[in-house]
Amino acid sequence: MNRASRDGRRAVLDSVRAALAGGERTSAESIPREYRRQRPVESPAELFRERVADYRAEVRAADSAGAPEAVLRALEHAAAGRVVLPEGLPATWAEPLAERYETFDDRPPLPTATLEGVDAVVTTCTVAIASTGTIVLDHGPGQGRRALTLLPDTHVCLVPASRIVDDVPAALAALDPGRPMTFVSGPSATSDIELERVEGVHGPRDLHVVVVDDA
């Protein structure tokens, strides 16, 4: 680093220190939050399904009794054969899968090479956002660690309708900021240098969402 660069860096840092020394620090609680916290939505579940479908994800609806069959149909559509089930996935959803597929338990954590050979993962979620069609995982029970939802080619997510909120502020209010979070808006997709859509580069190529009416 030459002298001019050092002097410039020192000047910037001196300005930052002076600004910090002359002002009062504010806590997160004292920051004004006067933006709209709710978006009137007649049917959050219906809007959520529409927005998820916009991302080229497959969407199904089922009641609690029909959820296992909906998951089986999703896995058949994805031609999955090997499925990983995270710890804490409800037994009523997990047991029918174990009867038909080769399933893997992530206890202890599966090696990366094993995960790369798995076709699909089935999880639930913490909250879902109707206005954006986004699923949020905090990797608690039934969701597994982040690697489980990144390496398999297909992600099947069971979303209880009671966990669908209208907009982002309501979702953030339902989340614990101390937990790791993954926001999923459709299957993984990017564009190459010629702006051609390429799927499955940074995560699952296919996303199947089952909205479960748990009222």
Side-chain angles (χ1 to χ4, degrees), residues 67-68 71 75 83-98 103-105 107 120-125 137 140-144 148 155-160 163 212:
V71 173
L75 292 172
V83 182
V84 61
L85 305 177
E87 182 180 1
L89 191 71
T92 53
W93 295 345
E95 289 174 357
L97 302 178
T103 57
F104 294 80
D105 189 345
R107 294 172 297 175
V121 59
V122 178
T123 75
T124 183
C125 70
L137 294 82
Q143 299 168 53
L148 297 189
H155 180 188
V156 180
C157 187
L158 290 137
V159 179
R163 298 186 190 179
V212 183

Side-chain angles (χ1 to χ4, degrees), residues 21-209:
E24 296 182 1
R25 294 175 182 262
T26 58
S27 66
E29 290 75 15
S30 66
I31 298 174
R33 302 184 187 276
E34 299 174 355
Y35 49 80
R36 184 174 62 182
R37 290 177 174 269
Q38 290 186 316
R39 179 191 298 265
V41 176
E42 183 175 345
S43 174
E46 182 176 346
L47 178 60
F48 174 74
R49 291 195 297 267
E50 292 175 0
R51 295 294 164 84
V52 171
D54 286 342
Y55 290 120
R56 301 188 185 181
E58 295 289 332
V59 188
R60 294 173 169 82
D63 57 19
S64 295
E69 182 61 32
V71 173
L72 289 172
R73 290 201 304 271
L75 292 172
E76 290 171 359
H77 185 274
R82 295 155 59 92
V83 182
V84 61
L85 305 177
E87 182 180 1
L89 191 71
T92 53
W93 295 345
E95 289 174 357
L97 302 178
E99 295 173 359
R100 189 173 304 187
Y101 292 94
E102 181 181 2
T103 57
F104 294 80
D105 189 345
D106 195 44
R107 294 172 297 175
L110 295 167
T112 299
T114 301
L115 279 179
E116 289 175 342
V118 168
D119 301 309
V121 59
V122 178
T123 75
T124 183
C125 70
T126 302
V127 68
I129 307 170
S131 63
T132 64
T134 301
I135 297 162
V136 188
L137 294 82
D138 71 0
H139 304 284
Q143 299 168 53
R145 56 194 173 104
R146 184 168 289 152
L148 297 189
T149 53
L150 288 178
L151 293 178
D153 211 37
T154 297
H155 180 188
V156 180
C157 187
L158 290 137
V159 179
S162 61
R163 298 186 190 179
I164 301 175
V165 298
D166 55 1
D167 211 345
V168 176
L172 295 179
L175 294 167
D176 179 355
R179 294 194 58 82
M181 288 178 255
T182 301
F183 287 66
V184 179
S185 297
S188 171
T190 188
S191 296
D192 63 16
I193 196 170
E194 296 180 349
L195 300 182
E196 294 290 335
R197 181 182 171 95
V198 181
E199 299 176 338
V201 176
H202 307 297
R205 187 186 312 274
D206 299 307
L207 175 65
H208 295 256
V209 176

